[in-house]
Amino acid sequence: MNHSILKSIAEKHKCPIYVYDGNKIKKQYERLTNAFSSIKNLRINYACKALSNISILSLMRSMGSGLDTVSIQEVQLGLKAGFKAENIIFTPNGVSMNEIEKVASLGVQINIDNLTILEQFGTKYQDIPVCIRINPHVMAGGNSNISVGHIDSKFGISIHQIPHILRIVENTKMHINGVHMHTGSDILDIEVFLHAAEILFETASKFNDLDFIDFGSGFKVPYKFGDIETNIEELGEKLSKRFHSFCKTYGKDLELAFEPGKFLVSEAGYFLTKVNAIKQTTSTVFAQVDSGFNHLIRPMLYGSHHEIINISNPKGKERFYTVVGYICETDTFGNNRKISEISEGDILAFKNSGAYCFTMASNYNSRYRPAEVLWYKEKSFEIRKEETFDDLVQNQILIDFSKKVSVN
Ligand SMILES: *Cc1c(COP(=O)(O)O)cnc(C)c1O
């Protein structure tokens, strides 16, 4: 998305604001489907926790995507955005049996990731097909906060417990129609991913009535210059080949599913903020923006890197700045960054702000969550209004303790 479009959106609306490039989302979607074009039954289920605005969901639906959800509320958002229940998969972790039952009763495919729930569910509902999430114990990437396939992870049923799964299935006569894994957020080495896929194929071969195999996500996108990203094309070629040969042995053309979040929306997002103040100290030049970790917490939460560009002065001489927010705690967006010379009032754009940015925003410091704008096919659509004071207080109950409080 070019700077002048971002600038015109920033001028038309108020900063801070999230802007998403729908054309980039579509490009990423097509890149993935093209890489797997030889698969007859390919299903992309967009992991909507990355960015869950219902107009983004609607855009995903228009491209042919399904939906991956982790809470009953996300399921409801999907239904509201027009998804059919059969195009939604529910892959929660550690939620109650009650929530799983409710989602299943809506006709959504459920994915179970622990043995006790599997046993309870199978005992009660032999007729509802269930997918199982396994943990292949493959370490993808080095950051243990985002690698969820390794030995100490809370996600999935360990592959060492397959005999126990089979025992439950035999005893309850339940129907397992899919197997699933989601190893983490950083597939850098295709061979490591293919190794995990082999474990999933091995698991799949133990069930004789599957409809699909779900390889989760973990596609890495570049955050800064020189970053390695997942080579989707290479993955598509190698995994498709292996998938075809597996289906042949299995005796059925299964569906191949993925659940990308970040891959589809991360690079499409820009968070625009205005510089309130430039502050020079003895060692640093701070650029202080009209936002904080109430709006974008990833850098402070897990050290993620977001490129920062000055769209008001993109060709200016570069200087070093530490970009911070207005929250009354340390909230550094970027430390010692080279940015084109900043003046007070300039608009800074944070890149890679599509995934896990707005969805993690809060009202900390009693600030409003910002508006969201979608730029698609040369048009801008406001898809969320900025909050108002009424939104802040609407669920709060004011009790006047200066009056006598009666006890009933
Ligand atoms: C979060 C999540 C995803 C998406 O992960 P990305 O790294 O954003 O692609 C996929 N599947 C499950 C089960 C998830 O919880």
Side-chain angles (χ1 to χ4, degrees):
M1 218 174 157
N2 71 42
H3 296 167
S4 64
I5 297 170
L6 286 175
K7 238 172 96 178
S8 70
I9 292 173
E11 276 155 17
K12 189 169 151 206
H13 301 267
K14 218 174 95 209
C15 280
I17 189 170
Y18 276 99
V19 180
Y20 311 115
D21 179 358
N23 307 303
K24 175 68 181 175
I25 294 175
K26 190 152 181 279
K27 235 186 188 158
Q28 291 293 94
Y29 186 83
E30 284 165 0
R31 196 177 149 203
L32 191 54
T33 50
N34 286 338
F36 288 87
S37 57
S38 78
I39 303 291
K40 212 162 63 191
N41 304 315
L42 177 70
R43 182 152 154 192
I44 308 297
N45 293 317
Y46 166 56
C48 73
K49 73 174 186 290
L51 176 60
S52 58
N53 185 293
I54 51 180
S55 285
I56 298 292
L57 305 191
S58 163
L59 176 66
M60 295 291 179
R61 186 170 72 88
S62 76
M63 298 184 311
S65 178
L67 208 61
D68 177 68
T69 58
V70 295
S71 69
I72 190 166
Q73 290 81 8
E74 285 188 352
V75 171
Q76 289 166 325
L77 285 178
L79 294 172
K80 192 174 170 71
F83 281 92
K84 292 201 186 103
E86 71 217 46
N87 293 325
I88 303 178
I89 180 167
F90 184 53
T91 59
N93 172 255
V95 308
S96 69
M97 174 71 178
N98 183 266
E99 185 169 336
I100 293 175
E101 286 177 297
K102 276 193 187 146
V103 171
S105 75
L106 295 169
V108 168
Q109 170 74 50
I110 59 165
N111 187 358
I112 291 181
D113 95 329
N114 81 68
L115 288 171
T116 51
I117 295 274
L118 188 72
E119 186 164 357
Q120 282 180 62
F121 195 88
T123 305
K124 245 173 129 173
Y125 308 98
Q126 285 102 333
D127 300 333
I128 301 181
V130 166
C131 173
I132 44 172
R133 176 174 185 172
I134 64 142
N135 181 345
H137 303 312
V138 170
M139 187 81 174
N143 185 339
S144 65
N145 291 322
I146 52 175
S147 301
V148 294
H150 60 94
I151 198 89
D152 287 331
S153 160
K154 66 167 187 166
F155 298 97
I157 303 171
S158 164
I159 38 156
H160 304 302
Q161 294 173 308
I162 300 279
H164 197 163
I165 298 175
L166 294 173
R167 170 68 50 87
I168 291 171
V169 171
E170 193 187 322
N171 289 346
T172 60
K173 309 273 184 296
M174 69 190 300
H175 173 196
I176 302 299
N177 70 338
V179 290
H180 167 278
M181 69 171 186
H182 171 62
T183 52
S185 265
D186 279 352
I187 305 170
L188 289 177
D189 187 341
I190 305 269
E191 297 310 318
V192 173
F193 187 83
L194 292 173
H195 173 67
E198 279 313 315
I199 296 168
L200 197 59
F201 285 129
E202 169 73 23
T203 309
S205 68
K206 305 236 178 350
F207 300 92
N208 55 22
D209 199 10
L210 293 182
D211 297 319
F212 67 94
I213 301 181
D214 189 331
F215 294 88
S217 180
F219 304 117
K220 177 156 170 49
V221 297
Y223 275 77
K224 55 176 182 286
F225 184 74
D227 261 5
I228 314 172
E229 62 176 322
T230 305
N231 187 335
I232 301 288
E233 289 70 26
E234 184 190 346
L235 180 69
E237 203 180 308
K238 291 187 171 163
L239 184 62
S240 298
K241 204 164 149 220
R242 180 64 185 99
F243 191 77
H244 286 304
S245 81
F246 177 81
C247 288
K248 214 162 172 189
T249 330
Y250 192 76
K252 185 178 175 186
D253 258 335
L254 297 173
E255 193 177 76
L256 190 166
F258 278 117
E259 320 160 335
K262 200 184 277 176
F263 178 77
L264 294 179
V265 297
S266 174
E267 295 164 279
Y270 298 83
F271 181 49
L272 308 183
T273 61
K274 191 175 260 179
V275 177
N276 283 339
I278 301 285
K279 186 185 234 177
Q280 308 244 6
T281 66
T282 47
S283 62
T284 307
V285 185
F286 287 104
Q288 200 154 22
V289 300
D290 60 349
S291 180
F293 68 65
N294 49 324
H295 295 148
L296 200 167
I297 200 174
R298 300 182 78 248
M300 306 82 178
L301 186 65
Y302 40 56
S304 67
H305 181 100
H306 292 261
E307 286 286 302
I308 303 170
I309 47 180
N310 181 358
I311 60 170
S312 299
N313 182 24
K315 299 208 168 71
K317 193 173 115 220
E318 288 183 318
R319 297 187 57 193
F320 285 96
Y321 296 93
T322 290
V323 179
V324 295
Y326 59 20
I327 291 293
C328 297
E329 282 187 46
T330 300
D331 58 350
T332 305
F333 287 112
N335 199 23
N336 210 30
R337 296 288 186 85
K338 218 172 170 181
I339 303 172
S340 326
E341 185 151 29
I342 303 174
S343 310
E344 290 175 357
D346 281 358
I347 310 282
L348 302 187
F350 294 72
K351 292 173 85 171
N352 285 81
S353 293
Y356 308 106
C357 292
F358 188 93
T359 48
M360 287 189 179
S362 74
N363 291 119
Y364 187 49
N365 278 204
S366 295
R367 297 284 184 181
Y368 307 144
R369 283 179 299 174
E372 294 177 288
V373 164
L374 172 63
W375 173 258
Y376 188 53
K377 295 192 171 164
E378 309 302 312
K379 267 206 187 100
S380 85
F381 301 88
E382 188 174 45
I383 58 173
R384 185 191 298 267
K385 293 186 287 190
E386 186 191 23
E387 287 178 331
T388 63
F389 187 73
D390 286 342
D391 294 318
L392 281 188
V393 291
Q394 106 175 309
N395 290 325
Q396 301 192 50
I397 298 162
L398 177 63
I399 296 168
D400 188 350
F401 287 104
S402 66
K403 304 245 170 65
K404 204 171 152 196
V405 177
S406 65
V407 183
N408 51 11

